[in-house]
Amino acid sequence: MSSAVRRSVPVRTFGDWNDPLPGYVEVDFVAHSGTSSSGSFAQTMVLTDIATGWTECVPVRTRESGLVIAAIKQARSQFPFPLLGVDFDNDSAFMNELVVCWCRSQGLEVTRSRAYRKNDQAWVEQKNGAIVRRLVGYGRFVGSEATSALARLYEVVRLHGNLFQPSFKLQEKTRIGACVIKRYHPPVPPVARVLAHSGVAEPDKERLQAMLERADPVMLFAGIRAVQEELGRRVDRRGLNARSEEPVAVDLHRFTVSLKTAWQAGEKRPTHRRPYRRTKPYPKRQSMLEPFELQIRAWLEADPAVSAASVLERLMSADPSGFTKKSLRTVQMAVKAWRFETAGQIILDGDWMKRAPLSSPAAAGEDNGHLSAQNFGNFRG
């Protein structure tokens, strides 16, 4: 059935838009599955307007047609202008009879991209990384509580991104042989493009202008960081010891104080990827030299110039089954470490010059210097 529905939806490539009116959007899913795509997990539906760049994000708990329709309804009510058409990819969550028929019944023009051609949806694909992945990261989110947290995040992000974040828009593209020259309009927020576009009705512009006057960018940014802290704790738990938590309150004073030093170490979002921390201790394996450690130290004290190869020969004589010629590197590293440790103790003791034997006053300086350098070199390995 999905193949028949897919064939009934016309294809629209990246070159077929031809400067459309505001209201034609590209739709795509961003999966919050972590490192495994098995099981059920939350997803984010991203809708990007082609003409203005206005973007709406709606979290969906599971991939189900009824929830997809509900997400489109919610995004449709949040856009500052009426939707005219939706451009899907070939995902079965979109290409099914229930979703396609509902969109057509609402007067929305339904198109789709070509299979395995992500550039056909270049406008929404760039928002997947610039908005969703940049703010939410790649962690796994499962359940209604995580979906609610994502909804609170996108409720703030939609205002902060669409009202105050400038973005580029392509003005013209010229090909000269193999070289492509692109020129862009000056970067402005999507709200400026909506207010300046002649295809948007005046009542819609008035409501959008009132929304812009009420919005506070500092409060919105603080709200984004507060929700990200909650999402970051969910990523840290990795699904274990799950418990319900109250939403993090926005502390504007603490947020503004942190801005004084945030630039020093760079911006570290709470939802960024965490380094893996092993919860179980590593089992300690016994070294092959551990039973002979006292004997080897005794050999080194008796003859500091003994080589690691000589030590290995003695160990092979003592335990032929445990040591072979392949154990030379292991013995060398252990002997070097023990000599370095002994040299440090002698230097810190401060009495190492007196321990050097002197044969005669005439040869005292020569022998002393020779023996000291030799012993110190042997101790260093």
Side-chain angles (χ1 to χ4, degrees):
M1 182 62 67
S2 60
S3 299
V5 173
R6 188 178 292 108
R7 288 192 298 268
S8 67
V9 177
V11 174
R12 172 174 280 168
T13 66
F14 64 91
D16 296 338
W17 285 108
N18 299 324
D19 196 14
L21 294 174
Y24 288 92
V25 298
E26 290 182 345
V27 188
D28 193 16
F29 265 137
V30 179
H32 303 291
S33 59
T35 58
S36 175
S37 60
S38 62
S40 177
F41 46 85
Q43 299 200 22
T44 297
M45 179 185 292
V46 185
L47 300 92
T48 301
D49 181 64
I50 303 300
T52 62
W54 189 283
T55 302
E56 295 288 346
C57 300
V58 182
V60 179
R61 182 175 178 179
T62 57
R63 293 168 51 86
E64 196 268 326
S65 301
L67 297 179
V68 171
I69 294 176
I72 297 177
K73 286 182 180 179
Q74 179 180 345
R76 189 181 185 184
S77 63
Q78 293 175 349
F79 271 93
F81 41 78
L83 293 187
L84 303 177
V86 289
D87 184 72
F88 300 124
D89 57 10
N90 292 270
D91 193 344
S92 60
F94 300 129
M95 292 293 102
N96 57 78
E97 187 176 6
L98 185 62
V99 175
V100 173
C101 292
W102 180 86
C103 292
R104 289 172 175 171
S105 66
Q106 298 297 316
L108 300 177
E109 180 183 352
V110 182
T111 57
R112 65 180 177 90
S113 62
R114 293 172 294 178
Y116 308 107
R117 300 291 182 91
K118 286 186 174 295
N119 198 38
D120 286 350
Q121 287 195 316
W123 285 270
V124 70
E125 289 289 348
Q126 67 178 355
K127 302 300 181 182
N128 294 347
I131 296 179
V132 180
R133 293 304 186 192
R134 186 176 177 85
L135 295 177
V136 181
Y138 293 84
R140 185 181 181 90
F141 299 103
V142 181
S144 58
E145 295 181 1
T147 307
S148 300
L150 289 173
R152 291 194 298 271
L153 174 64
Y154 295 141
E155 184 178 356
V156 185
V157 168
R158 64 179 298 267
L159 299 179
H160 183 267
N162 292 320
L163 301 183
F164 301 106
Q165 289 296 311
S167 60
F168 285 94
K169 183 175 176 59
L170 184 65
Q171 182 179 4
E172 61 179 1
K173 182 169 59 174
T174 306
R175 177 179 291 274
I176 302 177
C179 180
V180 178
I181 300 175
K182 298 180 181 180
R183 290 182 174 86
Y184 297 85
H185 293 283
V188 293
V191 63
R193 297 192 182 97
V194 177
L195 294 176
H197 204 287
S198 59
V200 181
E202 290 299 328
D204 296 335
K205 292 184 179 181
E206 293 177 359
R207 289 194 297 268
L208 192 57
Q209 186 66 40
M211 181 192 304
L212 181 60
E213 294 175 356
R214 294 192 303 267
D216 185 356
V218 178
M219 283 294 298
L220 294 175
F221 196 69
I224 291 174
R225 288 295 180 262
V227 183
Q228 282 183 322
E229 290 183 6
E230 179 182 354
L231 293 174
R233 289 198 297 269
R234 293 183 179 275
V235 175
D236 288 339
R237 287 201 301 267
R238 301 178 185 274
L240 301 177
N241 301 325
R243 59 184 182 278
S244 59
E245 296 182 357
E246 295 295 330
V248 179
V250 178
D251 190 350
L252 186 59
H253 176 71
R254 182 174 65 88
F255 174 74
T256 53
V257 170
S258 66
L259 293 179
K260 298 179 181 179
T261 58
W263 59 273
Q264 297 177 357
E267 188 179 16
K268 298 180 180 179
R269 295 178 180 83
T271 53
H272 278 184
R273 182 178 299 176
R274 264 64 164 179
Y276 177 72
R277 296 181 178 88
R278 182 182 174 90
T279 56
K280 296 181 179 180
Y282 286 98
K284 184 178 179 180
R285 298 176 58 184
Q286 184 180 8
S287 174
M288 61 185 305
L289 299 177
E290 188 172 347
F292 305 92
E293 181 177 357
L294 296 178
Q295 182 63 41
I296 297 175
R297 287 181 180 271
W299 293 338
L300 294 176
E301 291 178 1
D303 185 9
V306 65
S307 63
S310 301
V311 174
L312 178 59
E313 291 179 0
R314 300 179 186 182
L315 292 175
M316 292 172 59
S317 301
D319 187 6
S321 61
F323 294 92
T324 61
K325 292 183 179 180
K326 296 182 179 180
S327 308
L328 178 59
R329 183 57 182 164
T330 304
V331 177
Q332 286 177 341
M333 292 189 295
V335 170
K336 181 178 179 180
W338 292 333
R339 281 176 172 167
F340 189 78
E341 179 184 352
T342 306
Q345 293 176 357
I346 293 176
I347 293 175
L348 293 177
D349 188 15
D351 197 28
W352 62 280
M353 290 289 293
K354 300 178 182 180
R355 300 181 183 179
L358 299 178
S359 58
S360 63
E366 181 182 355
D367 293 341
N368 189 9
H370 173 71
L371 292 174
S372 300
Q374 179 183 3
N375 292 338
F376 185 70
N378 291 335
F379 283 130
R380 290 189 61 188

